[in-house]
Amino acid sequence: MAEEKIIIFDTTLRDGEQAPGASLTISEKLEIAQQLAVLGVDVIEAGFPVSSPAQFEATKQIAEQVKGPTICGLARSTGEDIESAGKALAPAKKRRIHTFIATSPIHMKYKLKKTSDEVLKLAVEAVKYAKTFTDDVEFSPEDACRSEMPFLIEVLTAAIEAGATTLNIPDTVGYVLPYEYGRIIAQLKSDVPGIDKCIISTHCHNDLGMAVANSLTGVRNGARQVECSINGLGERAGNAALEEVVMAVHTRPDFFGKDRAKPLTTNIKTTQIHKTSQLVSRLTGFVIQPNKAVVGANAFAHESGVHVDGVLKERSTYEIMTPESVGLGSSRMVLGRHTGRHGFADRCKKLGYKLAKDELEQAYQKFLQVADKKKEIFDDDLVAIIDDEVRVIEHTFEMEYLRVLIETGTSPTATVKIRSKGKLKEAQAEGDGPVDAAYEAIREATGFSPTLESYSIRAVTSGKEALGEATVRIKQDSRTCIGRGVSTDIIEASAKAYVDAINRMVARKDSGEETEVKVEL
Ligand code: KIV
Ligand code: ZN
């Protein structure tokens, strides 16, 4: 029986990056886009090119370098936006312009200050202009779910006549419930003339926690594209989580397939899900909650005796999907002090790293240091070591020494020695706690005093000597940077993360990458 595909449209780099605090550098976006291609997404929404030179450049570089998926750029319904998207996407073999305009009374009146006739005209002009850059044009009536149905039908009909090939139905504010969203999709499918020639797409926000349920109900009612993001990243409460949508379709073929002539599937290589999720989490600094479906640390962990007993007797008693199906199986692989260079290199390769000879040696030396303290090194440890030691950014500041003293009844004190441009600077400071003292000393030694916006620490793997990974988000002059640090000592990991974030800030400043720009949608 032939299959019917659901197109997976990934918007991690566009809507996902609009999440407050989730700003990525151009090279980080490229790294994520390359991994999305390995994961097998059909469309990558690479950015919103007109919104800033960095967004334009990131979209262009992804269009030039990422092979496989269609590369898409977002544009409001204006000539300038569409031209910018067209230019940024020009190098892509398969390119799509995604143009949108709001159609709900509330958005038209207060945000756009336009009548419905004016909106209709702009939508048609936008689609026609986008068609001069590519045949593949997607149109979104923003806030579709709070729009009046007759007007929604009118705009979509006009967009089809103007040449739109995908019609996206956004629940922009995450307002509707699954039953309502399904009904909207079903009505549009039956009442919009010519819609059978187009792909109907879902784009659901998660304000009421309904994004995945709404998207899947949309699919049941005829949508064949789902817009989603890794880890559900996106504006406010986020978008539909790609991994949840995909695993629902994969786990419940009876619901999505059995009673249909053609079973529904996706092109996603589900075994790449865990790796992609970890990468996005690391680069954005958005830690995944342990009980997050599919990719949370506890998603496949069984604690209670009854459950463990059941799983040991027969896995399917308490597991509806296997950890291996989302790429977790190999993380049980253990390396140790006696692992040679060859075995180490082989494991790095299997984890998807392409390291140059000197990078491999650098990572191996660090691995040996960690293996001295920690008997068993798991894949997740290895990923943390490589990302910490080999990640390629210019280090303006190198922390060569850190000492933190904690004594009951006195304030903790920290001493750091930081090398920069050949000179070693020592600084001492007191703080409310050991990390605070270390950060104060680092501020003094580097001359940078960014605001600490967020700080988190997690154990990379389990056990007494587990590696701790600290992630910080700092902000200065409206430029936000994420830093990470790994060590078996959590104070040292925290200090490393702070220095890393400062180094990234300096690197971005030096490369002329502008500060965060928010464009009104
Ligand atoms: O949520 C939304 O409406 C959007 C549009 C730009 C599609 O992100
Ligand atoms: Zn959105």
Side-chain angles (χ1 to χ4, degrees):
M1 200 193 305
E3 294 173 342
E4 190 175 354
K5 293 282 180 199
I6 301 169
I7 297 166
I8 297 294
F9 176 115
D10 181 277
T11 188
T12 309
L13 297 175
R14 200 278 298 169
D15 211 317
E17 214 235 1
Q18 283 172 220
S23 78
L24 295 161
T25 64
I26 294 172
S27 63
E28 287 169 339
K29 286 186 190 174
L30 252 178
E31 192 176 347
I32 291 176
Q34 295 288 13
Q35 177 56 27
L36 290 172
V38 175
L39 177 67
V41 308
D42 302 287
V43 185
I44 295 176
E45 191 164 43
F48 185 11
V50 83
S51 66
S52 73
Q55 285 269 342
F56 182 91
E57 192 54 31
T59 309
K60 182 163 159 274
Q61 289 194 21
I62 291 170
E64 279 162 357
Q65 295 177 41
V66 179
K67 308 288 173 231
T70 296
I71 310 300
C72 174
L74 185 71
R76 287 167 299 191
S77 291
T78 72
E80 193 199 349
D81 278 39
I82 292 165
E83 198 175 326
S84 174
K87 282 187 182 152
L89 295 167
K93 197 161 164 215
K94 293 186 279 174
R95 56 185 170 272
R96 172 182 298 184
I97 293 179
H98 175 191
T99 185
F100 72 98
I101 190 162
T103 51
S104 65
I106 213 166
H107 275 234
M108 289 193 291
K109 182 172 173 193
Y110 295 108
K111 186 181 82 170
L112 298 178
K113 298 185 176 42
K114 291 197 188 308
T115 64
S116 49
D117 283 350
E118 288 169 319
V119 165
L120 182 68
K121 189 163 170 280
L122 286 171
V124 169
E125 282 170 4
V127 173
K128 283 190 178 159
Y129 190 40
K131 285 296 259 195
T132 66
F133 294 92
T134 170
D135 269 348
D136 188 347
V137 174
E138 173 170 329
F139 173 72
S140 288
E142 191 192 8
D143 204 15
C145 297
R146 293 191 300 170
S147 302
E148 286 163 1
M149 192 44 102
F151 184 54
L152 196 55
I153 292 176
E154 192 182 353
V155 175
L156 292 173
T157 307
I160 296 171
E161 282 165 5
T165 43
T166 298
L167 299 175
N168 184 38
I169 313 301
D171 180 16
T172 303
V173 289
Y175 177 68
V176 291
L177 303 177
Y179 175 74
E180 294 172 292
Y181 192 72
R183 241 182 11 187
I184 292 171
I185 300 293
Q187 186 171 356
L188 294 174
K189 193 170 162 55
S190 89
D191 292 359
V192 175
I195 202 162
D196 47 320
K197 295 193 294 292
C198 300
I199 297 288
I200 304 175
S201 167
T202 67
H203 180 108
C204 300
H205 279 270
N206 204 31
D207 300 65
L208 292 173
M210 301 287 164
V212 171
N214 283 350
S215 307
L216 294 171
T217 314
V219 168
R220 272 289 286 209
N221 284 279
R224 287 296 175 268
Q225 173 176 285
V226 175
E227 300 200 352
C228 44
S229 61
I230 301 295
N231 302 335
L233 212 62
E235 283 273 10
R236 307 180 309 279
N239 288 79
L242 180 148
E243 61 279 6
E244 294 177 24
V245 169
V246 167
M247 289 315 287
V249 174
H250 189 83
T251 308
R252 294 297 308 275
D254 55 329
F255 185 78
F256 292 100
K258 201 170 97 189
D259 56 352
R260 299 170 182 279
K262 292 180 181 170
L264 292 179
T265 57
T266 71
N267 284 324
I268 297 297
K269 292 177 195 67
T270 61
T271 50
Q272 291 289 330
I273 283 178
H274 175 71
K275 184 173 172 199
T276 315
S277 161
Q278 289 293 315
L279 177 71
V280 170
S281 169
R282 260 199 325 276
L283 295 185
T284 57
F286 276 45
V287 177
I288 302 165
Q289 75 195 57
N291 57 330
K292 161 86 178 63
V294 182
V295 292
N298 291 350
F300 295 95
H302 304 279
E303 185 76 33
S304 91
V306 175
H307 286 209
V308 173
D309 181 54
V311 169
L312 289 176
K313 284 176 178 148
E314 167 54 45
R315 222 175 186 180
S316 60
T317 49
Y318 289 100
E319 270 184 7
I320 58 163
M321 5 170 204
T322 62
E324 289 81 4
S325 66
V326 298
L328 265 171
S330 59
S331 70
R332 290 180 189 141
M333 189 84 189
V334 180
L335 302 184
R337 208 149 45 91
H338 301 295
T339 305
R341 277 185 177 74
H342 187 246
F344 179 80
D346 188 57
R347 197 73 219 129
C348 292
K349 209 164 141 201
K350 289 212 170 84
L351 286 170
Y353 287 102
K354 289 187 197 110
L355 299 179
K357 228 173 158 188
D358 55 333
E359 290 174 331
L360 191 65
E361 187 55 29
Q362 199 184 343
Y364 183 63
Q365 291 308 327
K366 182 67 195 176
F367 158 77
L368 289 179
Q369 281 173 25
V370 177
D372 260 348
K373 296 186 193 154
K374 185 178 188 295
K375 277 193 227 71
E376 294 179 321
I377 309 274
F378 295 91
D379 283 352
D380 284 353
D381 292 319
L382 212 54
V383 168
I385 290 169
I386 295 171
D387 286 344
D388 187 45
E389 295 299 312
V390 188
R391 194 155 283 277
V392 277
I393 62 145
E394 275 300 315
H395 282 186
T396 306
F397 301 109
E398 291 283 355
M399 187 172 68
E400 290 195 356
Y401 174 86
L402 169 72
R403 187 177 63 155
V404 179
L405 290 178
I406 316 169
E407 201 182 336
T408 316
T410 61
S411 299
T413 55
T415 307
V416 291
K417 288 183 192 167
I418 290 190
R419 187 171 294 282
S420 178
K421 297 185 183 129
K423 288 198 184 119
L424 196 64
K425 181 144 189 214
E426 182 173 328
Q428 269 187 9
E430 274 186 8
D432 292 338
V435 174
D436 188 45
Y439 283 12
E440 190 50 49
I442 291 167
R443 281 196 280 273
E444 205 181 311
T446 59
F448 275 83
S449 296
T451 313
L452 181 66
E453 287 210 315
S454 73
Y455 165 86
S456 65
I457 186 110
R458 70 174 186 113
V460 176
T461 46
S462 56
K464 197 154 52 68
E465 286 105 6
L467 281 181
E469 183 183 65
T471 305
V472 298
R473 189 165 65 230
I474 60 169
K475 190 166 186 175
Q476 188 163 304
D477 304 331
S478 76
R479 189 180 270 113
T480 307
C481 281
I482 308 286
R484 280 171 297 276
V486 174
S487 171
T488 44
D489 179 296
I490 57 168
I491 310 289
E492 188 182 43
S494 306
K496 278 175 150 183
Y498 199 55
V499 174
D500 183 47
I502 292 175
N503 275 326
R504 283 168 194 275
M505 189 159 269
V506 176
R508 279 173 74 178
K509 215 169 170 183
D510 290 351
S511 75
E513 223 178 88
E514 83 296 346
T515 53
E516 220 172 291
V517 184
K518 288 273 179 213
V519 169
E520 287 278 304
L521 283 184

